[in-house]
Structure formats: structure tokens, C-alpha cells
């Protein structure tokens, strides 16, 4: 059983919609990462957080340590947000990262 | 600009051949990682290194080898012993202390003919 579960697996939205992607994990963690993988394959780190909430532009990431759950929100979604969003949890250093399978987001104009 | 560079982007190999994927970073990161990505699966760790001249096996190291002779460089060799080498390979680097976010290369897609 994968220790990191993401939902939904696929998500289609219209431009301007508010997007939420969820990540649940089953083990104690030291940090949680949200990553964005572009269609060409390159991956960019969006957030690394261990508590509370972080915001960067139209992206917001929250984490609830007690419930072992994190959400990634995208406000005013745009077609350029179309990508695969990956959640990963760290149980120590980055060598112990466990990755979710990703959520494929498509934003239509 | 600081970053992490992988090459080649696409590589074709005949069965029985070894191939080496290059990964170079100029971020002054101590830690470097190689991941494999297959369709429908999460990234899996092949090898990692946290210091020059030292590296550790990840979850799927069989059939792969690495070296870390310089801080900036962490090449991955896919040997003929790797049974199913066709995949997308990603290199990443990170600060060790305090733990930092991962920086990824653009990836290398290996196809075995």
C-alpha cells in the first residue's frame, strides 16, 4: 500500500475555477513537498512545509499534521497550470522521500 | 543562473549496452539523487549521495551504478544487468542542513530497442 495517497487522480477544470488537490499520508513525517511536473517531464518544487500554510502567488498549500493531510489550492486557475501535481513526504532527510502517484490537472480555456 | 542540468534528454540503447546519464549542478548542494519514473507510478529512488566520494543505494539500485567524484557531478550508469531500463530518469539535488527543497533536472528518457 502506497504510504502517500493523492486525490483526485485526474482533474479537469475551466479557466478561473478554484482547484483543490488532496494528499493523505500514513506515517509520521518531518516535511511534505508539493511538486509540479510539466508535460515535458521537468519537475519544479512548489512548496516544502511541515506545519500550517504557505502561499505563493495563486498557489496555497496547507497541512494538518494531526489528520495527516495536506491540500494544494490553485485560485483563478489558468491553462498554464495544466500539469501533474505530486505530493511527497519526508520521514527524515530527502533520501527518505515517499512520492504519491500524482494528480493530472487540465485547465481548459 | 544556478540550476541542475541533465543530458542527454533522449537516449536509445540496444540491449546489452551500458549507458551513462549525466547530471551536473551549480547550486552548491551536498545531496544529489537519481529517481526513476514509470507510467502510473510515483518516483522511485535509485541512488543518492550526500557527500563527495560516498553514495548509498535507494529502493531500486539493482542494475545501476553511480559515482560522486566531484560535488557538482553525479552520473548514473544503466548497466546491461538492468532488466527493464526503459524509463524516465530524473536527477535532483538539495541542501542537507537544514533540509531544503529538491531541485530537479529536466529528465532523461531512455529507450531500449
Amino acid at each position: 500500500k502506497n504510504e502517500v495517497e493523492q486525490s483526485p487522480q485526474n482533474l479537469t477544470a475551466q479557466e478561473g475555477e478554484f482547484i483543490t488537490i488532496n494528499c493523505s499520508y500514513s506515517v509520521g513525517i518531518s516535511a511534505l513537498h508539493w511538486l509540479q511536473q510539466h508535460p515535458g517531464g521537468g519537475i519544479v518544487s512548489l512548496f516544502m512545509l511541515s506545519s500550517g500554510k504557505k502561499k505563493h502567488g495563486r498557489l496555497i498549500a496547507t497541512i494538518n499534521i494531526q489528520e495527516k493531510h495536506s491540500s494544494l489550492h490553485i485560485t483563478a486557475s489558468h491553462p498554464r497550470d495544466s500539469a501533474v501535481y505530486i505530493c511527497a513526504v519526508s520521514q527524515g532527510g530527502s533520501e527518505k522521500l515517499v512520492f504519491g502517484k500524482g494528480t493530472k490537472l487540465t485547465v481548459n480555456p | 543562473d544556478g540550476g541542475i542540468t541533465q543530458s542527454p534528454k533522449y537516449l536509445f540503447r540496444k540491449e546489452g549496452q551500458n549507458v551513462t546519464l549525466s547530471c551536473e549542478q551549480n547550486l552548491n548542494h551536498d545531496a544529489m539523487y537519481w529517481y526513476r519514473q514509470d507510467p502510473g507510478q510515483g518516483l522511485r529512488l535509485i541512488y543518492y549521495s550526500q557527500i563527495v566520494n560516498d553514495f548509498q543505494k535507494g529502493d531500486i539500485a539493482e542494475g545501476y551504478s553511480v559515482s560522486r567524484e566531484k560535488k557538482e557531478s553525479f552520473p548514473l550508469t544503466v548497466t546491461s544487468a538492468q532488466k527493464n531500463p526503459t524509463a524516465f530518469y530524473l536527477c535532483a539535488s538539495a541542501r542537507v542542513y537544514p533540509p531544503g527543497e529538491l531541485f530537479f533536472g529536466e529528465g532523461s528518457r531512455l529507450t531500449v530497442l
Side-chain angles (χ1 to χ4, degrees), chain B residues 49-112:
Chain B
S49 168
Q50 293 189 310
I51 194 169
V52 174
N53 292 323
D54 187 53
F55 47 83
Q56 305 296 327
K57 292 182 180 180
D59 300 319
I60 54 165
E62 185 175 350
Y64 301 98
S65 65
V66 294
S67 63
R68 187 88 186 273
E69 297 177 1
K70 299 186 301 181
K71 186 175 185 177
E72 301 79 16
S73 179
F74 191 42
L76 173 74
T77 297
V78 184
T79 75
S80 56
Q82 169 49 234
K83 296 288 185 278
N84 185 20
T86 294
F88 188 60
Y89 293 89
L90 284 153
C91 179
S93 70
R95 187 183 61 219
V96 176
Y97 295 114
E101 61 184 328
L102 284 166
F103 288 77
F104 286 85
E106 289 294 307
S108 296
R109 189 168 299 277
L110 172 64
T111 302
V112 174

Side-chain angles (χ1 to χ4, degrees), chain A residues 9-74:
Chain A
Q9 287 186 312
N10 293 282
L11 180 57
T12 301
Q14 289 300 121
E15 184 173 357
E17 287 184 359
F18 181 82
I19 304 292
T20 296
I21 299 171
N22 297 298
C23 176
S24 296
Y25 52 93
S26 56
V27 297
I29 66 169
S30 57
L32 183 141
H33 301 250
W34 280 105
L35 310 169
Q36 180 190 53
Q37 185 168 30
H38 299 288
I43 293 178
V44 174
S45 176
L46 299 175
F47 297 102
M48 175 180 167
L49 67 166
S50 55
S51 64
K53 175 180 174 179
K54 286 191 175 180
K55 183 176 189 293
H56 184 251
R58 295 180 295 106
L59 301 178
I60 303 167
T62 64
I63 188 169
N64 185 317
I65 297 295
Q66 287 74 28
E67 295 187 3
K68 293 186 169 61
H69 181 269
S70 175
S71 293
L72 176 67
H73 305 287
I74 304 175

